[in-house]
Amino acid sequence: MKPIVLALAALVAPAALAADQPAVDPARVEATVKAAFRSAPPDWQPRLIPDETLKECSATDNSPTAAQFEAIQKREAATIRYPDDGNFVGDWKKGERLAQSGYGLRFTDYPPRNPNGGNCFACHQMTRQEVSYGTIGPSLLGYGKARGTAPEALKTVYEKIYNPHATFACSLMPRFGTNKVLTVEQIKDLVALLMDPASPVNQ
Ligand code: HEC
């Protein structure tokens, strides 16, 4: 009988321990994270403090209530700035280089010697030529071919890259425009990469 009792005790013990643990103190977590990145450059420091959106997404394990979902998207959409000339499409060749480039925001990139890249291939398949890509995001092969080049379609992609949280509250994709990782011109080049019928994405 004894071994069975011991085995049961082993099953019960971890649950009891977990209940005894204090709740995670967010202020302590923030302070610890900040202390770990003491030498972070000034423009990087604010990234250590989660904003309202990231806090809500973390607290709900990326499953906010319907009301939170709507509120997050509304707040994030309000941060989107549009091109002055109303044109959403740049140069797909520049866009392809940006999508390939992971330059920027790393500690070794200070002081900046090159424009930031988008690192899109880290999460997306985009062209048939590039065989090294991540799969956190959906494949974007043929993205423009499937959507056409109507102004509304171009605007939607621009908004997605500028701030993915505006259309998917707890997206795992970075807010490239809102967080000033990429400029309006760079985002236009990426729109071209995805939407231009001549781009390798649509071949
Ligand atoms: C850290 C991973 C990550 C990076 C880097 C990333 N994305 Fe995403 N992307 C995602 C995820 C996850 C989704 C799906 C969720 C969503 O729609 O927000 C997505 C969705 C998208 C969509 C919408 C797809 C659809 O179904 O309509 C587009 C367009 C897109 N990404 C473009 C880009 C571009 C361009 C870049 C580079 C500037 C980029 N992504 C960088 C993760 C990423």
Side-chain angles (χ1 to χ4, degrees), residues 118-120 123-124 126 136-138 140 143 147 160-161 164 168 171-174 176 182 190 194:
N119 214 12
C120 317
C123 294
H124 295 284
M126 297 179 100
I136 292 175
L140 302 175
Y143 198 77
R147 285 165 181 77
K160 186 77 205 176
I161 303 169
F168 188 44
S171 177
L172 297 180
M173 177 166 152
F176 290 100
L182 299 176
L190 288 161
L194 288 175

